[in-house]
Amino acid sequence: MVRIKSSFLSAACAMGCLFVAASAQAGGKITTFDPPGSLDTYAWTISDQGAITGFWYDPTTQTNDVFVRAADGTIATFAHHNSQVTAAYGLNSKGIVAGYWSNLAGNFPGFTRTAKGKIKTFRVEGASNGTYPGSISAAGDIAGAWYDDVDVPHGFLRVATGKITSFDVTGEVYGTFPTGGNASDVIAGRYGDGGGIWHGFVRATDGTITPFDAPGDANGTFAQGINVAGTIAGYYGDASGKNHGFVRSAGGTLTSFDPQGSVYTVAQTINDKGYIAGYYDDSSGVAHGFVRTADGTVTSFDVSGASGTYANSINRKGDIAGWYTDSDGNYHGFVRSR
């Protein structure tokens, strides 16, 4: 989980865009950005139209707020007026943002915000410790997690009509955490067993849940993203402490991979063409972004002058959004266009 400078991760209140640099490298043009006044910027999700949402830290108010960056570079920001944290993780092709905000009671609500700024809140029944949307489909269906009164996560699917279905992987399970859903409401994620090890799962449209582990997994399997074909991208840890990326077909075939020079691979996202984006650490501990095409070709890239580059989301065109760290350890957003 990325750093948020306050607690756990109604209208637009600022407009603008700050371009720090633009450079062509490794087959793509990288543009960096921050909302005006931001100390830390996390570009979380990019839509097929090129809009980006995420969250940023305002050192003046000491709050975390949401931003939406349009494809033309214009940035709008908003926050709930009583919250220390307002965060967004999902953005669909209609410009609807999904996220949550904090409150003193602890039962943080989830929300959706339309492109015109209309906000609707919701909570999963029993979510005394928060409702956290993770992704939103073009139809407006949301997959995410909610936390009960002992802080155990459970999965949920909220369809656009507002109906919410909760679910868990059965058996000796300590927590179910969805990380993404596709247009058919097939959901991927991870669950923890009684020994504290994470495993992957996929939940079919009919509610059937299939657990899985990567071959060679000794320290957890983390399913991170799923595309329209049901192909899942993620990563797992081996017995030596190294992480490896994986891609799992809808039929269950799982292939592991690593960018050249990686000792720690994190595959974060997959688009409908089967392109995977993420980041990896080299032997010196420096993070680099990467994109892996459907045929297995991996290309590494870096934001110029960054001390670390973290790719987090890829759209159908292959444009990538994420964040990078500067020499002071602060975070900034970037988009890598093809």
Side-chain angles (χ1 to χ4, degrees):
M1 199 68 177
V2 299
R3 178 180 58 167
I4 295 181
K5 294 198 174 187
S6 51
S7 62
F8 181 81
L9 268 180
S10 2
C13 61
M15 300 289 288
C17 182
L18 175 63
F19 291 97
V20 181
S23 61
Q25 57 172 276
K29 177 184 176 182
I30 294 178
T31 302
T32 64
F33 64 90
D34 289 282
S38 175
L39 182 61
D40 285 311
T41 301
Y42 303 97
W44 200 268
T45 301
I46 184 168
S47 73
D48 287 342
Q49 289 69 36
I52 300 169
T53 196
F55 42 94
W56 61 287
Y57 178 69
D58 185 338
T60 301
T61 60
Q62 297 185 7
T63 59
N64 293 285
D65 303 332
V66 172
F67 74 85
V68 180
R69 180 185 186 272
D72 65 4
T74 304
I75 296 177
T77 71
F78 68 92
H80 186 265
H81 65 279
N82 289 324
S83 297
Q84 193 173 15
V85 174
T86 308
Y89 295 94
L91 175 66
N92 70 9
S93 57
K94 297 177 182 177
I96 301 173
V97 174
Y100 76 94
W101 64 63
S102 64
N103 57 37
L104 293 176
N107 56 343
F108 302 172
F111 72 83
T112 60
R113 180 184 185 271
T114 68
K116 293 183 178 180
K118 183 178 180 180
I119 293 176
K120 179 181 291 186
T121 62
F122 66 92
R123 289 184 175 92
V124 178
E125 184 177 357
S128 55
N129 274 316
T131 298
Y132 301 95
S135 64
I136 183 168
S137 72
D141 299 346
I142 296 170
W146 62 275
Y147 283 75
D148 61 24
D149 57 4
V150 292
D151 218 27
V152 174
H154 307 269
F156 76 84
L157 171 66
R158 179 188 185 271
V159 297
T161 59
K163 179 183 178 181
I164 297 174
T165 301
S166 296
F167 62 88
D168 283 292
V169 179
T170 58
E172 188 185 1
V173 176
Y174 186 82
T176 300
F177 196 95
T179 51
N182 67 14
S184 301
D185 290 337
V186 180
I187 298 170
R190 61 181 182 267
Y191 70 94
D193 64 24
I197 300 297
W198 290 100
H199 309 268
F201 77 84
V202 57
R203 180 184 186 271
T205 305
D206 66 2
T208 303
I209 296 177
T210 302
F212 66 89
D213 287 296
D217 162 28
N219 287 301
T221 295
F222 301 83
Q224 294 293 96
I226 185 168
N227 69 8
V228 68
T231 305
I232 297 169
Y235 62 97
Y236 68 94
D238 66 21
S240 70
K242 292 184 177 180
N243 270 22
H244 309 276
F246 74 79
V247 55
R248 180 187 185 273
S249 71
T253 301
L254 195 147
T255 303
S256 63
F257 67 89
D258 289 288
Q260 186 174 358
S262 173
V263 297
Y264 189 95
T265 302
V266 177
Q268 288 283 69
T269 179
I270 183 169
N271 71 8
D272 287 345
K273 294 182 178 180
Y275 285 36
I276 296 169
Y279 62 90
Y280 69 93
D281 288 354
D282 62 25
S283 58
S284 299
V286 176
H288 310 270
F290 75 83
V291 58
R292 180 187 187 269
T293 61
D295 66 6
T297 303
V298 177
T299 300
S300 301
F301 63 88
D302 293 285
V303 175
S304 179
S307 59
T309 300
Y310 304 86
N312 200 65
S313 179
I314 186 169
N315 66 13
R316 184 173 177 82
K317 294 188 294 183
D319 298 334
I320 296 169
W323 55 87
Y324 71 95
T325 50
D326 62 23
S327 58
D328 293 325
N330 293 320
Y331 293 76
H332 310 273
F334 78 83
V335 56
R336 179 183 184 268
S337 54
R338 297 192 68 194

